[in-house]
Amino acid sequence: MKTIIYHNNRCSKSREGLCILEESGADVEIRDYLHVPPTYEELDELLKLLKAKPLDIIRQKEEIFKEKYAGKTRTRKQWIQAMIKYPVLIERPIVVKGDQAVVGRPPSLIKDLLSNND
């Protein structure tokens, strides 16, 4: 079963998460979401797998969030569209294996996901 990581190579936690996956021997598909943002459908599915609301995976300390979205109310669809327009807002790393997903913060959550799927 392929394991997908939504990855930002400039992020130490994301690099650590990728390391965990590679060391585990997982068949890893790396999604460089900053260069190829997920589609609306992909983000919608990710949120369902994470059992999360859009704001749960939005990096609210990012400058773009502070400038454009802080203190504003948006619908689920509008938040997802914001993450597509500004993928830097997406928390990282997000790892998907089968019908389960985690935000790898802390990276130990990735180990838990892998052990749950063995």
Side-chain angles (χ1 to χ4, degrees), residues 2 5 10 13 15 20 39 50 54 56 63 70 97 109:
K2 191 167 286 283
I5 182 170
R10 292 182 11 210
K13 296 294 182 199
R15 289 192 309 270
I20 290 168
T39 65
L50 291 164
D56 295 338
E63 201 57 40
K97 185 164 186 183
L109 293 174

Side-chain angles (χ1 to χ4, degrees), residues 44-87:
D44 188 50
E45 182 63 21
L46 273 177
L47 289 164
K48 289 174 187 171
L49 292 175
L50 291 164
K51 298 176 178 83
K53 298 176 191 141
L55 276 175
D56 295 338
I57 66 165
I58 288 179
R59 298 176 57 83
Q60 297 181 38
K61 293 181 181 176
E62 287 291 334
E63 201 57 40
I64 195 76
F65 181 86
K66 293 176 188 176
E67 290 172 9
K68 296 191 175 284
Y69 302 106
K72 296 184 179 176
T73 302
R74 297 280 188 262
T75 65
R76 176 185 172 88
K77 183 176 181 178
Q78 289 170 322
W79 283 124
I80 292 172
Q81 289 169 333
M83 287 187 277
I84 293 166
K85 186 172 183 177
Y86 302 106

